[in-house]
Amino acid sequence: DTGVSQDPRHKITKRGQNVTFRCDPISEHNRLYWYRQTLGQGPEFLTYFQNEAQLEKSRLLSDRFSAERPKGSFSTLEIQRTEQGDSAMYLCASSHTGTGGRIDYGYTFGSGTRLTVV
Amino acid sequence: SQKIEQNSEALNIQEGKTATLTCNYTNYSPAYLQWYRQDPGRGPVFLLLIRENEKEKRKERLKVTFDTTLKQSLFHITASQPADSATYLCAFSGYALNFGKGTSLLVTP
C-alpha cells in the first residue's frame, strides 16, 4: 500500500463545466475525508465517510458539491457548474478509528488535486 | 463560534536553535489535537497527537504541550535544521479535524 492516492494531480477547467476527482485511501482505513485548501489557509473540512456511509456533509460548500464512496473503497468528489471561486487544492485523507471511534493516529493525506477554473 | 489561531507571521530562526510555534483555540473543548507539517504543493503529514489528559508528548526532536486551562498548544523543534523549513498546522478534534491556518517556519544555516 503506497498511501493515499489522488487523481488527477492537476485539473484546469472552464467555468460552468463539471469536474470529478478520485481518491484511493489506505485500504485498512475505515474513514475517508475531503478537505479544500486555498493559498495561505489551512485545510477546510468538506465531508467524511465511515466505510460507505457519508456521516457529515453539511460543510460541503454548496449543493454543487457532492461526494460518494461506493462499497467503502475509493471516493469521488464532484463539483458541478464550476465557478472561479472553486479554484483550490482539494485534499483527501484517510484514517483508522479504534473501538468506540477512538483516534490513535493522525490522518494520512494524499498530495491533492489542484483545480483551476478559468 | 469555534476558532483556532496560529502565529500569522512567519518564524525565521537560525539552524541549531529551538523553534516554538503557538496554537490557541476558543469556544472549544477538544479531546485531542494534532500537529502536521506541510510542504509546498503537498498534503499535510502527521507529526504528533496529544490528548487533553496529556501535558506533553515527545518524538525525536519534536515536543508538543497541551494546556487546556490556557487553551493553548505549543510545538517545539529542538536543534532545528534547514530541512525543518515548512508550514506547520495544528488541528483539533471534532467529527473531523479542524485546522488552523498554519505557521511558516524558515530555518537558515
Side-chain angles (χ1 to χ4, degrees):
Chain A
D1 200 344
T2 56
V4 176
S5 177
Q6 291 189 247
D7 184 69
R9 287 296 310 278
H10 303 274
K11 178 71 176 178
I12 300 174
T13 191
K14 292 184 178 179
R15 189 174 52 190
Q17 296 293 305
N18 298 344
V19 294
T20 300
F21 311 140
R22 177 179 171 124
C23 173
D24 287 272
I26 292 175
S27 55
E28 299 83 16
H29 288 178
N30 57 352
R31 285 194 178 177
L32 184 149
Y33 310 84
W34 284 99
Y35 283 82
R36 184 180 82 154
Q37 188 174 26
T38 53
L39 197 61
Q41 302 295 314
E44 176 186 14
F45 171 72
L46 296 178
T47 188
Y48 87 102
F49 295 83
Q50 177 146 320
N51 301 314
E52 65 272 17
Q54 189 172 13
L55 298 186
E56 177 58 50
K57 57 182 180 180
S58 66
R59 303 269 288 273
L60 285 167
L61 299 166
S62 78
D63 58 7
R64 297 184 296 105
F65 287 70
S66 63
E68 293 183 344
R69 192 183 184 195
K71 302 179 183 178
S73 56
F74 71 92
S75 176
T76 58
L77 177 70
E78 181 182 17
I79 309 174
Q80 295 183 328
R81 306 181 301 281
T82 52
E83 302 172 356
Q84 287 190 320
D86 297 332
S87 296
M89 174 77 87
Y90 290 84
L91 293 163
C92 174
S94 67
S95 72
H96 179 74
T97 57
T99 305
R102 177 182 169 95
I103 300 289
D104 291 313
Y105 303 100
Y107 293 2
T108 302
F109 280 85
S111 293
T113 294
R114 166 83 54 196
L115 173 67
T116 302
V117 182
V118 298
Chain B
S1 61
Q2 296 173 347
K3 202 172 180 182
I4 301 167
E5 291 184 347
Q6 294 189 250
N7 313 55
S8 56
E9 294 181 11
L11 180 63
N12 294 341
I13 65 168
Q14 197 172 15
E15 182 177 10
K17 302 291 186 183
T18 296
T20 298
L21 284 65
T22 304
C23 184
N24 297 298
Y25 60 94
T26 55
N27 298 326
Y28 206 13
S29 296
Y32 61 86
L33 67 90
Q34 303 183 16
W35 283 86
Y36 287 76
R37 169 186 172 138
Q38 187 172 26
D39 293 287
R42 311 292 294 182
V45 174
F46 171 68
L47 298 174
L48 282 166
L49 179 154
I50 185 167
R51 301 188 185 282
E52 60 180 338
N53 61 349
E54 298 174 319
K55 296 296 184 187
E56 181 179 299
K57 204 74 152 313
R58 291 176 185 261
K59 178 183 174 183
E60 297 173 354
R61 296 184 295 110
L62 309 180
K63 184 178 83 171
V64 172
T65 63
F66 190 5
D67 189 324
T68 55
T69 301
L70 292 178
K71 294 186 180 294
Q72 181 181 79
S73 174
L74 297 178
F75 177 79
H76 306 272
I77 305 175
T78 58
S80 59
Q81 305 166 0
D84 295 326
S85 299
T87 295
Y88 291 86
L89 299 157
C90 68
F92 290 87
S93 62
Y95 45 76
L97 286 177
N98 298 303
F99 283 86
K101 289 184 178 182
T103 298
S104 176
L105 172 66
L106 178 62
V107 181
T108 54

